């Protein structure tokens, strides 16, 4: 991601220029970059943007939501599901702030989301006159949320500003960007040079570092690979390296699905921690490695090799033995080419891993209520179907035990872990990937954050299947209050609507499932219904705690 680029960008007028409005220039640039949808909620500052979107509606669809957070979460979901840039448009001030939790999540997840944010009249920015939706230092607020933001002040610079933002979103560590545009600038006309995608500068891969890494890994006795979200586009490479090194691949949350769960070398928590305790060389791909380094510990007997798009990342917490800077796919391809010259002969670890996986499955048995429902979902969700996780009892266990077969099919909200992201994000996932079934799970607490977007799902006929596990509580908080605070229950019991009637009142399918078998049958019907959304309510009692398997103690170092 490039640094803040605050200045309007100048382009030389040339003969290719055509007269158009700022809004038309931005819309044309989005189309030239392959975007096909803008998730949006309109308002007077952006009227001329919507006028341009109207004019381009056969090439760029506008999908409107019922709250700005819904628009931004949908763009995030579409970005996560496709790996491609996605855009949302909202009014300034409250519109921006309503979208901020999703923008923050996009930043934490390195997701390429472009925010198109309105502004008050250009000449009045910073004058505190009390314009509609005026907010103090909007650009400053945005700068705290994203790395790249530009205020567009005239049509001549608009196409290039959009192209630079879209390039910044794919450069280095990917991430969101924002374009602000004042109410009186969207409609201004001027000569605009059409802007094709700008090439992303190719990163030179350090050959010496590749050789060093290959030597270390080749000589390792018990190598381990740890994957984060940055490895999602390098699944074939990680799979090949895992086989060459007979190295288990640990993916938790954002790294799930990089190595197929059916491979005995594919592990999650808590077996991953046990392996972390034994390993001598770790290859960490596109992960901050925070849990491992902070929770599980590190010592001198463990050499860490980091692969990261962000040159700042590898040494942030702990100096690695080798840092390989670049996108995971090309870096790992080089490593795969170099490794055979250094690699030890390695017997298969299949039988050992199968045994250890089975032992941990046994210990996870105390989570049987959650596991039974997750098994029902896995049985009905096709291999390439997408599972959208939430901050709920079912989600916590899914992160540990839901089998994931392909990259980008298990979407979990990263380190924000923000309650309420799931339903609206999943709507964006399903909207961008109409070709596969998508299931969103949530608790009664999380679902109600964006439940209003059921109207969006119905209006745009988005066939998302949402399973709401209803325990009448912020269950996670409630259990902590019971277990750690002497049953001092406060702010954790909830009054809920009848979720089936709620869905039906929007014209959506609504069903209640009272057992894992019921859920399976309901899912089968829901996945067959492709013309609109289905909500499945599952009433559940309080669930056994998964935390002993997630917040595990140190296993290395002092
Ligand atoms: C934005 C945000 N606010 C608050 C929290 C704290 N929090 C974590 S879990 C939880 C309760 C979740 O309740 P529910 O969605 O019903 O799931 P359950 O635990 O009951 O399965 C809360 C409030 C959070 N993670 N994110
Ligand atoms: Mg709940």
């Amino acid at each position: 991601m490039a640094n803040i680029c605050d200045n309007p960008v100048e382009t030389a007028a040339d003969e290719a220029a055509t007269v158009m409005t700022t809004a038309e220039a931005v819309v044309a640039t989005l189309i030239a970059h392959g975007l096909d949808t803008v998730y949006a909620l309109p308002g007077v500052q952006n009227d001329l943007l919507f006028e341009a979107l109207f004019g381009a509606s056969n090439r760029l669809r506008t999908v409107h939501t019922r709250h700005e957070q819904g628009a931004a979460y949908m763009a995030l979901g579409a970005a996560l599901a496709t790996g491609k840039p996605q855009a949302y448009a909202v009014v300034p001030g409250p519109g921006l702030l309503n979208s901020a939790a999703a923008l923050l999540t996009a930043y934490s997840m390195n997701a390429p989301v472009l925010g198109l944010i309105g502004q008050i009249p250009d000449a009045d920015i910073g004058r505190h006159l009390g314009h509609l939706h005026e907010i103090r230092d909007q650009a400053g607020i945005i700068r705290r949320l994203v790395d790249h933001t530009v205020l567009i002040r005239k049509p001549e610079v608009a196409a290039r500003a959009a192209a630079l933002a879209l390039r910044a979103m794919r450069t280095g560590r990917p991430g969101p960007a924002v374009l602000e545009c004042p109410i009186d600038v969207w409609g201004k006309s001027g000569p605009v040079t059409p802007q094709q995608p700008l090439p992303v500068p190719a990163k030179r891969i350090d050959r010496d570092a590749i050789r060093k890494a290959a030597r270390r890994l080749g000589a390792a006795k018990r190598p381990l690979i740890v994957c984060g979200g940055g490895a999602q586009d390098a699944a074939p490479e990680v799979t090949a390296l895992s086989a060459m090194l007979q190295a288990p691949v640990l993916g938790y949350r954002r790294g799930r699905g990089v190595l197929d769960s059916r491979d005995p070398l594919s592990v999650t928590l808590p077996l991953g921690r046990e392996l972390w305790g034994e390993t001598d060389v770790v290859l960490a791909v596109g992960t901050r490695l925070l849990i491992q380094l902070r929770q599980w510990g590190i010592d001198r007997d463990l050499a860490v090799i980091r692969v990261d798009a962000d040159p700042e990342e590898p040494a942030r917490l702990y100096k690695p033995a080798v840092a390989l800077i670049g996108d995971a796919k090309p870096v790992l391809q080089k490593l795969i080419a170099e490794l055979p010259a250094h690699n030890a002969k390695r017997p298969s670890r299949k039988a050992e891993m199968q045994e250890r996986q089975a032992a941990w499955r046994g210990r996870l048995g105390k989570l049987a209520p959650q596991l039974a429902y997750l098994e029902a979902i896995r049985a009905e969700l096709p291999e390439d179907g997408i599972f959208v996780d939430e901050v709920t009892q079912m989600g916590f266990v899914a992160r540990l035990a839901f089998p994931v077969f392909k990259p980008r099919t298990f979407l979990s909200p990263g380190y924000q872990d923000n309650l309420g992201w799931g339903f609206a994000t999943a709507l964006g996932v399903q909207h961008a990937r109409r070709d596969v079934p998508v299931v969103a799970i949530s608790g009664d607490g999380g679902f109600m954050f964006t439940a209003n977007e059921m109207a969006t799902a119905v209006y745009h006929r988005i066939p998302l299947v949402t399973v709401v596990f209803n325990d009448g509580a912020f269950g996670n908080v409630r259990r902590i209050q019971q277990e750690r605070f002497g049953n001092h229950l406060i702010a954790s019991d909830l009054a809920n609507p009848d979720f089936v009637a709620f869905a039906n009142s929007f014209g959506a399918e609504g069903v209640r499932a009272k057992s894992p078998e019921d859920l399976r049958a309901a899912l089968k019907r829901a996945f067959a219904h492709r013309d609109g959304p289905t909500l499945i309510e599952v009433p559940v009692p309080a669930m056994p705690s998964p935390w002993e398997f997630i917040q595990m103690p140190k296993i290395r170092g002092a």
Side-chain angles (χ1 to χ4, degrees):
M1 189 91 199
N3 269 335
I4 298 157
C5 169
D6 228 352
N7 302 319
V9 216
E10 296 298 335
T11 46
D14 64 38
E15 58 281 2
T18 24
V19 172
M20 57 174 93
T21 66
T22 303
E24 287 165 347
V26 168
V27 165
T29 310
L30 297 183
I31 294 168
H33 282 71
L35 278 81
D36 58 17
T37 306
V38 175
Y39 301 94
L41 204 151
V44 71
Q45 285 86 1
N46 288 347
D47 279 352
L48 273 300
L49 170 63
F50 281 79
E51 180 62 7
L53 289 168
F54 179 83
S57 48
N58 57 345
R59 285 164 297 160
L60 192 63
R61 270 169 304 179
T62 297
V63 171
H64 61 303
T65 60
R66 302 301 291 271
H67 185 284
E68 284 90 356
Q69 74 171 337
Y73 277 130
M74 282 187 79
L76 172 60
L80 294 171
T82 61
K84 295 192 181 124
Q86 306 286 342
Y88 77 93
V90 297
V91 294
L96 165 68
L97 295 183
N98 283 341
S99 77
L103 197 54
L104 170 69
T105 310
Y107 181 80
S108 326
M109 299 180 80
N110 310 311
V113 170
L114 178 64
L116 304 171
I117 315 287
Q119 247 297 10
I120 63 165
D122 190 19
D124 287 347
I125 293 174
R127 295 187 67 204
H128 312 294
L129 301 179
H131 278 287
L132 175 69
H133 304 337
E134 182 170 352
I135 183 168
R136 215 159 21 132
D137 192 16
Q138 176 162 285
I141 291 168
I142 294 168
R143 264 202 292 275
R144 297 288 165 152
L145 294 171
V146 300
D147 285 336
H148 182 107
T149 178
V150 178
L151 172 68
I152 300 174
R153 308 185 71 179
K154 54 183 180 179
E156 292 85 336
V157 303
R160 191 159 171 82
L164 284 170
L166 285 155
R167 180 172 71 177
M169 287 157 64
R170 294 177 295 138
T171 305
R173 179 195 283 277
V178 167
L179 297 173
E180 281 182 284
C181 186
I183 181 168
D184 53 332
V185 174
W186 281 127
K188 266 191 192 147
S189 291
V192 173
T193 308
Q195 185 71 64
Q196 292 306 310
L198 298 163
V200 175
K203 265 163 256 138
R204 203 185 58 81
I205 298 171
D206 181 342
R207 279 223 202 128
D208 286 346
I210 291 282
R211 203 167 305 127
K212 255 199 216 163
R215 268 200 218 114
R216 291 263 193 178
L217 282 165
K221 298 217 162 49
R222 296 182 83 76
L224 172 70
I225 300 174
V226 182
C227 286
Q232 285 292 340
D233 290 330
E237 290 75 17
V238 168
T239 306
L241 276 168
S242 165
M244 290 164 88
L245 294 164
Q246 283 302 296
V249 175
L250 165 59
Y252 174 57
R253 306 191 56 191
R254 301 221 51 219
R256 308 266 346 256
V258 176
L259 183 64
D260 190 320
S261 294
R262 290 167 293 198
D263 187 320
L265 288 167
S266 174
V267 304
T268 167
L269 315 187
L271 175 53
R273 169 177 167 274
E274 208 173 277
L275 294 161
W276 178 266
E278 301 163 6
T279 181
D280 54 341
V281 182
V282 158
L283 176 65
V285 186
T287 166
R288 292 181 175 85
L289 218 55
L290 181 67
I291 294 178
Q292 288 78 10
L293 293 173
R294 271 288 156 87
Q295 221 172 287
W296 300 348
I298 180 85
D299 55 47
R300 290 185 177 282
D301 297 332
L302 174 53
V304 179
I305 299 168
R306 299 282 296 258
V307 179
D308 211 284
D310 178 356
E312 303 288 318
E313 182 60 44
R316 212 162 248 155
L317 255 180
Y318 181 81
K319 196 172 179 316
V322 187
L324 301 168
I325 304 305
D327 292 338
K329 193 176 189 72
V331 168
L332 295 186
Q333 281 171 350
K334 289 264 186 307
L335 197 53
I336 288 167
E338 182 69 27
L339 187 61
H342 310 277
N343 201 9
K345 232 181 134 44
R346 297 179 184 277
S348 166
R349 290 185 71 179
K350 187 172 170 188
E352 173 212 339
M353 290 302 299
Q354 276 170 336
E355 209 171 289
R356 296 175 75 168
Q357 302 262 22
W360 271 110
R361 263 198 301 280
R363 281 172 236 167
L364 285 175
K366 82 162 263 214
L367 305 174
Q370 291 100 313
L371 289 166
Y373 280 113
L374 292 170
E375 266 166 38
I377 297 175
R378 187 67 275 182
E380 289 304 323
L381 184 69
E383 268 191 39
D384 55 358
I386 300 174
F387 180 100
V388 182
D389 175 33
E390 247 283 356
V391 192
T392 159
Q393 303 316 304
M394 224 46 79
F396 297 145
V397 178
R399 296 166 188 188
L400 304 175
F402 189 77
V404 187
F405 306 134
K406 287 174 187 289
R408 294 193 186 279
T409 61
F410 184 89
L411 303 177
S412 187
Y415 70 80
Q416 290 305 332
D417 226 359
N418 45 342
L419 190 62
W421 95 305
F423 177 54
T425 302
L427 283 174
V429 172
Q430 181 71 88
H431 185 267
R433 289 292 313 273
R434 273 195 177 258
D435 56 319
V436 292
V438 179
V439 63
I441 57 142
S442 62
D444 47 329
F447 175 70
M448 290 291 276
F449 275 52
T450 59
N452 56 330
E453 302 300 351
M454 187 56 83
T456 303
V458 169
Y459 185 93
H460 298 285
R461 298 185 169 198
I462 301 173
L464 174 69
V465 178
T466 305
V467 186
V468 179
F469 292 94
N470 181 6
D471 63 351
F474 286 138
N476 201 54
V477 177
R478 194 175 197 279
R479 196 183 46 227
I480 290 170
Q481 290 169 350
Q482 284 173 325
E483 290 179 358
R484 295 191 217 155
F485 297 94
N487 207 28
H488 295 170
L489 300 181
I490 177 166
S492 57
D493 283 323
L494 302 174
N496 284 315
D498 172 332
F499 286 106
V500 172
F502 173 85
N504 291 157
S505 73
F506 285 86
E509 294 289 322
V511 232
R512 194 162 287 114
K514 293 190 173 152
S515 66
E517 298 71 40
D518 265 12
L519 176 59
R520 220 183 135 168
L523 283 169
K524 200 185 278 300
R525 280 195 305 277
F527 287 142
H529 170 59
R530 301 302 293 161
D531 198 37
T534 303
L535 183 152
I536 304 171
E537 183 193 352
V538 182
V540 287
M543 296 272 158
S545 172
W547 289 104
E548 71 201 73
F549 303 110
I550 300 169
Q551 289 182 337
M552 288 173 296
K554 209 164 206 166
I555 194 162
R556 296 192 80 113

